Amino acid sequence: MTAAAMTERPAPYVQPTQYKLSAAGLLGSEWTKLWSLRSTWIVLLCAVVFSAGLGALISGTVPTDLEIGGAETAVGFAMSGVGLSSVFVSVLGILVITGEYSTGSIRSTMSAAPKRLGVLWAKAAVFGAVVTVLFTVMVFATFFLSQALLDGTDLGGISLGDEGVTRALVGYVAMIVYLTLLAIAIGAILRNSAGSIGFYIGVIMILPQLATLLPWDWVSDVTPYAPGNAANTITYVDASGQALGVGESWLWMGVWLVVAYGVAGLLLKRRDM
Amino acid sequence: MNGRPADRTVVCMIEIEHLTKRYGKKTAVDDLTFNVKPGVVTGFLGPNGAGKSTTMRAVVGLDAPTSGLARVNGKHYSEFRSPLTEVGALLEAKSVHAGRSAYNHLLALARTHGIPKRRVQEVIDLVGLHEVAGKRVGGFSLGMGQRLGIAVALLGDPAVLILDEPVNGLDPDGVKWIRVLLKGLAAEGRTVFLSSHLMSELAQTAEHLIVIGQGRLLADTTVDDFVSGNGQARVRVVSPDAARLAEHLAGPGVSIASPEKGVLEVSGTEAAVVGQTAAAHGLVLHELRTDRGSLEDAFMQLTADAVEYRQTTEGASR
Ligand SMILES: Nc1ncnc2c1ncn2[C@@H]1O[C@H](COP(=O)(O)OP(=O)(O)OP(=O)(O)O)[C@@H](O)[C@H]1O
Ligand SMILES: [Mg+2]
């Protein structure tokens, strides 16, 4: 049986030629992966509830005799839940990538896309786009809701046309997207869920705040540039008093994303899966 | 499936050239060189920790070789424009997110290459997962996870299949099914490369064998040659004149044991020689038989020095 089979080898098999790995394919794949996990739905729902709910709660309970007013404070009240929900979406962004490592599905993913980098870009693009759309809607809806509740107080009567208001609201959306993208890169670098979440919350979110308590002047000079603070300026209606200008703020967000994705990409290419 | 008559030059689909992989100080694969050809099932055999999985991961570009090359059809795996139609790999059962359904896992992989949903359904049916395709993979049994892994490997209808212990966790029905499936795929001209630590399992499926131990190549041969070359052939003789026969048979390279009175087990010679010797001295024989060593014996003999994780109690290993 062996001898016969050896001499009469079948004709070479020709595999299907109509299928090709493509960037569009990778985006579609990440879209499918994102929405086929229950955790995505749960976390995004929590993010929406917190950012709208907290904004509404705080706006709805402002004492009428409070001696405050102005667009800055009004926007700040409306967006009070957004910071919290940015933690939700950042953690989800981390899990989008570390979840693949912890379950081993990264091996399936990377054997379908052996150049690897496309997977990272696709994950960032898909999740970044979802967060952009979701939070654009959320931020503006929460602002209008809050304004409706604040009507009649000194914080009411603010419109998108007022100077700096729309820019600040867009700034909130951009800040959340920026932090989410940063979180995805951290997940790609550390590959471990607990480690990445710990690093993100501890080093990116909390450390720059704690650092301001240190007695050295140079520390407070650099903290505004830290990855977790770089986006702060763009969320102010009047950004003139901030350590970073609006342009600088965008610049530093870009710098940190390039650094984070540069490191993530390099490591992704180099490391064994 | 899409087979077409073509030139009959034998191409090597998988080429491993001086492949070495170290993890820190640990050398998992050590200067390994072999080829895997299309049209037959090739078994990849070795004890635990021999480096089978490492070699297979290197082929699909998941682990970078420390030195040497692993190529498919002349190319590095990452150079392919449609990797899933070139190589289908089952590397570890459940390389799947536990929270995702089998269908969605396959769909996500299919979408990277623009493979239609129809094909996803096809492979689900093929591996017999249609009833649970919508369930979360976290609840799957080992065998179901293994079937999903096989579905993933078949998704792109690839020319090369690399399967790391595909029968692991399958029930007897499943084992039979995969045997037939793999032979059929090879008969279509595909390259089928599967690993196992069970020689007996491979002997029923594979035609060619690559045996490694401690990361080194021990044998690259056909199953038949492997068995006859390594299986210790023993001649069993039953004779009332056993003691005298033994005296005449004794010689260099011949070892004779007598497990019971009147019975000899002779190795290092052949039945014909034993028969002639008996006739020449006028000795009566009641039985003369060649016992081929089992495949497992042959394998264990070959890898005896290369077994890394051996039980301390020798008796328990038999
Ligand atoms: N990622 C890794 N890091 C460190 N060591 C590894 C890694 N992968 C494999 N090894 C080591 O390399 C050696 C070969 O492992 P490999 O998994 O390739 O063996 P195997 O032949 O597949 O074994 P088994 O039959 O048990 O599956 C083992 O000693 C293993 O401990
Ligand atoms: Mg293995």
Side-chain angles (χ1 to χ4, degrees):
Chain A
M1 123 213 159
T2 312
M6 290 300 279
T7 47
E8 277 192 51
R9 218 170 264 288
Y13 170 81
V14 179
Q15 66 269 32
T17 51
Q18 69 272 37
Y19 308 137
K20 288 273 177 296
L21 176 63
S22 66
L26 286 174
L27 290 170
S29 173
E30 290 305 325
W31 178 265
T32 300
K33 281 195 223 165
L34 181 65
W35 297 112
S36 59
L37 288 179
R38 208 184 294 164
S39 52
T40 304
W41 296 90
I42 295 172
V43 174
L44 290 183
L45 188 72
C46 287
V48 166
V49 168
F50 269 96
S51 77
L54 216 56
L57 191 71
I58 291 179
S59 307
T61 53
V62 176
T64 41
D65 56 349
L66 209 61
E67 299 266 301
I68 44 171
E72 194 77 78
T73 319
V75 170
F77 276 18
M79 296 296 115
S80 45
V82 164
L84 187 62
S85 59
S86 90
V87 179
F88 280 108
V89 288
S90 295
V91 167
L92 188 59
I94 286 169
L95 293 178
V96 159
I97 194 144
T98 57
E100 292 230 24
Y101 285 99
S102 62
T103 59
S105 68
I106 194 73
R107 285 193 207 95
S108 310
T109 300
M110 292 306 177
S111 41
K115 286 194 166 55
R116 298 183 184 176
L117 288 182
V119 174
L120 180 62
W121 308 145
K123 278 185 190 299
V126 167
F127 196 62
V130 167
V131 172
T132 305
V133 170
L134 184 74
F135 275 86
T136 303
V137 173
M138 281 308 302
V139 161
F140 283 91
T142 309
F143 172 75
F144 291 126
L145 176 68
S146 154
Q147 275 301 303
L149 292 166
L150 290 169
D151 199 27
T153 72
D154 286 349
L155 293 167
I158 291 163
S159 80
L160 292 183
D162 293 353
E163 204 196 333
V165 171
T166 301
R167 211 213 52 238
L169 294 179
V170 170
Y172 273 101
V173 177
M175 178 185 72
I176 292 188
V177 174
Y178 159 75
L179 289 173
T180 305
L181 292 177
L182 200 60
I184 293 176
I186 289 169
I189 292 167
L190 298 180
R191 308 206 285 190
N192 169 287
S193 303
S196 305
I197 294 170
F199 184 88
Y200 177 78
I201 293 177
V203 178
I204 304 293
M205 315 256 341
I206 298 176
L207 193 65
Q209 264 66 39
L210 286 182
T212 55
L213 302 176
L214 292 172
W216 306 294
D217 285 344
W218 64 268
V219 174
S220 46
D221 287 346
V222 298
T223 44
Y225 297 89
N229 286 348
N232 290 352
T233 304
I234 59 170
T235 65
Y236 285 93
V237 174
D238 174 13
S240 58
Q242 299 304 309
L244 263 58
V246 172
E248 280 179 305
S249 182
W250 282 101
L251 176 72
W252 280 95
M253 285 159 65
V255 166
W256 290 122
L257 286 183
V258 168
V259 169
Y261 278 86
V263 173
L266 201 69
L267 289 175
L268 190 63
K269 271 287 197 190
R270 288 225 175 145
R271 289 195 287 208
D272 291 339
M273 289 294 117
Chain B
M1 212 172 198
N2 296 293
R4 107 189 145 197
D7 60 287
R8 298 232 151 191
T9 46
V10 174
V11 282
C12 292
M13 294 304 285
I14 304 176
E15 293 165 275
I16 307 290
E17 267 174 48
H18 299 291
L19 181 74
T20 298
K21 178 66 187 177
R22 279 187 214 103
Y23 296 106
K25 278 192 178 149
K26 168 87 200 164
T27 303
V29 174
D30 191 0
D31 196 23
L32 192 59
T33 300
F34 66 85
N35 292 328
V36 184
K37 297 176 190 70
V40 291
V41 176
T42 301
F44 194 24
L45 197 64
N48 288 131
K52 304 181 294 295
S53 303
T54 304
T55 306
M56 289 176 149
R57 281 200 304 271
V59 175
V60 289
L62 292 175
D63 283 21
T66 306
S67 65
L69 287 173
R71 278 185 305 210
V72 181
N73 203 7
K75 283 186 180 174
H76 187 269
Y77 183 71
S78 66
E79 293 170 46
F80 288 118
R81 293 191 54 209
S82 61
L84 288 186
T85 69
E86 300 286 345
V87 181
L90 162 72
L91 292 172
E92 242 156 289
K94 292 205 178 178
S95 293
V96 185
H97 199 297
R100 202 169 275 131
S101 70
Y103 177 82
N104 281 326
H105 177 65
L106 285 162
L107 181 63
L109 288 171
R111 291 192 77 174
T112 59
H113 281 58
I115 296 170
K117 287 184 177 163
R118 171 172 39 84
R119 177 67 188 161
V120 172
Q121 204 54 58
E122 228 169 76
V123 291
I124 286 174
D125 292 342
L126 184 65
V127 300
L129 283 180
H130 36 272
E131 275 170 29
V132 293
K135 298 241 162 67
R136 301 168 76 222
V137 176
F140 276 24
S141 69
L142 180 57
M144 284 152 78
Q146 200 72 287
R147 282 167 191 267
L148 176 57
I150 294 165
V152 168
L154 294 173
L155 190 60
D157 218 350
V160 177
L161 282 150
I162 294 179
L163 308 167
D164 199 358
E165 300 184 36
V167 300
N168 217 357
L170 291 183
D171 53 23
D173 256 4
V175 172
K176 218 155 132 192
W177 162 75
I178 197 163
R179 224 176 257 160
V180 173
L181 175 78
L182 294 182
K183 282 184 184 172
L185 292 168
E188 289 172 6
R190 301 185 213 231
T191 305
V192 181
F193 188 44
L194 76 149
S195 77
S196 173
H197 352 78
L198 285 183
M199 180 68 211
S200 52
E201 172 48 49
L202 281 183
Q204 296 184 58
T205 319
E207 209 171 281
H208 201 88
L209 264 190
I210 309 285
V211 187
I212 63 170
Q214 289 192 340
R216 276 185 227 114
L217 188 70
L218 298 178
D220 179 350
T221 167
T222 63
V223 171
D224 290 356
D225 286 352
F226 178 74
V227 176
S228 50
N230 290 281
Q232 207 172 25
R234 258 190 326 220
V235 182
R236 182 182 151 90
V237 200
V238 181
S239 165
D241 299 318
R244 281 175 59 204
L245 180 61
E247 281 168 34
H248 293 300
L249 285 173
V254 179
S255 68
I256 304 169
S258 180
E260 56 189 288
K261 193 170 154 51
V263 178
L264 296 180
E265 281 180 357
V266 191
S267 52
T269 185
E270 282 170 35
V273 175
V274 176
Q276 273 165 13
T277 310
H281 298 89
L283 304 175
V284 174
L285 298 185
H286 291 168
E287 191 186 327
L288 178 62
R289 188 179 81 207
T290 306
D291 284 340
R292 284 242 165 264
S294 78
L295 290 168
E296 234 56 68
D297 288 343
F299 173 45
M300 287 211 246
Q301 198 175 319
L302 185 64
T303 57
D305 302 324
V307 176
E308 200 165 344
Y309 307 103
R310 198 197 300 273
Q311 300 85 329
T312 40
T313 42
E314 227 359 272
S317 69
R318 290 274 144 176

